[in-house]
């Protein structure tokens, strides 16, 4: 489905799951992902929850704006969509880039989410993070998304995944090749990360419960970043998943489903 934003651009979203659910889970994608990235969780979670999957602008089937969107602007787009939907109690779930957007959403639109889940995301950037981002951007400019993917994969999949892949690396590359984002769209997404600053102080404003989840082997958004997020949030808990890297919605789907379900169930008990 398409939602028309105030500036005339369309935001693509999907509705799945139980129509009469008392809770909704809203999913925001990683940098080069689309709504398809959540395919592994839809069936199991859809039995209990209403699910909203969103392509941010420049992702998947959403429009591309003439200029890039900041994380704050992405959050405003998501808020505009959610205000138009008749959702029950809502948990905003964002991974990596989507997690950075979810942080801004929780700060700026507290009335629209009763809780949050921040997966493999970053509250600040350090020199190593910036160096990784620079290498991805240069690969993208030199060889498009296929070369960027070659450079990305060893950093967004844990070492354990390479030793025992759920989907072979070649099959993964082939599947991604058929849905390659455009270079221009990726550059505009990357720019939001480049321009973002330290957000830890802002996170202290978030009063709702938040689950923070990181992979033990995540080299990009490290467990240390997860601990920093958790320490800044007034009401947060941290889960570090062993033998897992950055891409939690591929590397550890059963564990992710269990964590989301347990967290949502705890919210129901606290009402």
């Amino acid at each position: 489905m398409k939602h028309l934003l105030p500036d005339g651009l369309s935001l693509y979203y999907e509705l799945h799951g139980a129509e009469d659910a008392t809770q909704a889970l809203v999913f925001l994608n990683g940098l080069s992902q689309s709504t398809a990235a959540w395919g592994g969780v839809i069936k199991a979670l859809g039995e209990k929850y209403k699910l909203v999957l969103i392509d941010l602008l420049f992702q998947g089937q959403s429009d591309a704006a003439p200029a890039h969107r900041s994380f704050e602007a992405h959050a405003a787009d998501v808020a505009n969509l959610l205000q138009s939907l008749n959702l029950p109690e809502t948990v905003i779930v964002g991974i990596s880039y989507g997690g950075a957007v979810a942080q801004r959403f929780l700060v700026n639109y507290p009335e629209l989410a009763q809780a949050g889940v921040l997966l493999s995301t970053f509250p600040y950037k350090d020199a190593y993070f910036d160096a990784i981002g620079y290498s991805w951007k240069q690969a993208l400019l030199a060889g498009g998304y296929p070369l960027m993917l070659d450079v990305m994969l060893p950093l967004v999949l844990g070492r354990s995944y390479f030793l025992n892949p759920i989907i072979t690396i070649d099959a993964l590359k082939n599947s991604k090749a058929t849905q390659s984002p455009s270079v221009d769209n990726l550059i505009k997404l990357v720019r939001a990360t480049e321009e973002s600053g330290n957000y830890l102080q802002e996170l202290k404003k978030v009063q709702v419960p938040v689950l923070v989840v990181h992979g033990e082997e995540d080299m990009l958004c490290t467990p240390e970043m997860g601990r920093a997020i958790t320490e800044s949030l007034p009401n947060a808990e941290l889960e570090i998943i062993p033998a897992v890297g950055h891409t939690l919605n591929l590397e550890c789907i059963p564990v992710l489903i269990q964590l989301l379900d347990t967290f949502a169930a705890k919210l129901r008990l606290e009402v």
Side-chain angles (χ1 to χ4, degrees), residues 12-19 21 23-29 34-55 61 93 248-250 252-258 260-261:
Y12 175 79
Y13 70 100
E14 299 174 11
L15 296 178
H16 298 272
E19 285 294 326
Q23 290 172 298
L25 305 180
V26 177
F27 292 91
L28 305 180
N29 315 323
S34 69
T35 55
W38 303 102
V41 307
I42 288 174
K43 183 177 180 181
L45 293 175
E47 294 175 1
K48 293 184 184 178
Y49 307 100
K50 176 169 279 191
L51 308 180
V52 184
L53 280 53
I54 302 172
D55 283 336
Q61 298 181 62
V93 183
L248 303 181
N249 50 0
L250 169 64
C252 58
I253 290 171
V255 174
L256 180 58
I257 290 169
Q258 183 179 14
L260 292 172
D261 188 33

Side-chain angles (χ1 to χ4, degrees), residues 2-14:
K2 292 289 185 79
H3 171 74
L4 192 65
L5 295 169
D7 59 5
L9 297 171
S10 290
L11 201 66
Y12 175 79
Y13 70 100
E14 299 174 11

Side-chain angles (χ1 to χ4, degrees), residues 45-176:
L45 293 175
E47 294 175 1
K48 293 184 184 178
Y49 307 100
K50 176 169 279 191
L51 308 180
V52 184
L53 280 53
I54 302 172
D55 283 336
L56 300 171
L57 291 187
F58 311 110
Q59 292 182 334
Q61 298 181 62
S62 285
D63 285 349
H68 80 288
R69 281 292 211 257
S70 65
F71 290 138
E72 288 76 11
H74 280 306
D77 292 340
V78 173
N80 187 266
L81 167 62
L82 296 192
Q83 286 165 347
S84 73
L85 300 177
N86 184 27
L87 295 180
E89 179 178 279
T90 298
V91 182
I92 190 92
V93 183
I95 187 166
S96 194
Y97 189 101
V101 175
Q103 290 174 56
R104 277 73 177 174
F105 187 93
L106 290 169
V107 169
N108 295 329
Y109 305 96
E111 73 283 4
L112 293 179
Q114 284 66 55
V117 180
L118 302 176
L119 306 172
S120 305
T121 195
F122 55 99
Y124 59 83
K125 301 174 296 173
D126 57 22
Y128 185 69
F129 184 101
D130 283 339
I132 292 172
Y134 178 80
S135 71
W136 291 2
K137 185 176 180 179
Q138 294 308 305
L140 179 63
L141 293 171
Y145 184 60
L147 181 58
M148 181 183 178
L149 190 60
D150 283 339
V151 174
M152 284 177 67
L153 285 181
L155 294 164
V156 298
L157 296 174
R159 182 174 185 273
S160 297
Y161 187 93
F162 280 86
L163 299 178
N164 187 27
I166 300 165
I167 302 170
T168 67
I169 299 301
D170 284 344
L172 190 59
K173 287 180 181 179
N174 290 336
S175 68
K176 295 289 283 185

Side-chain angles (χ1 to χ4, degrees), residues 226-241:
R227 292 186 186 98
I229 292 173
T230 307
E231 289 168 5
S232 293
L233 289 165
N235 184 9
E237 56 185 284
L238 174 65
E239 289 282 347
I240 304 292
I241 306 177

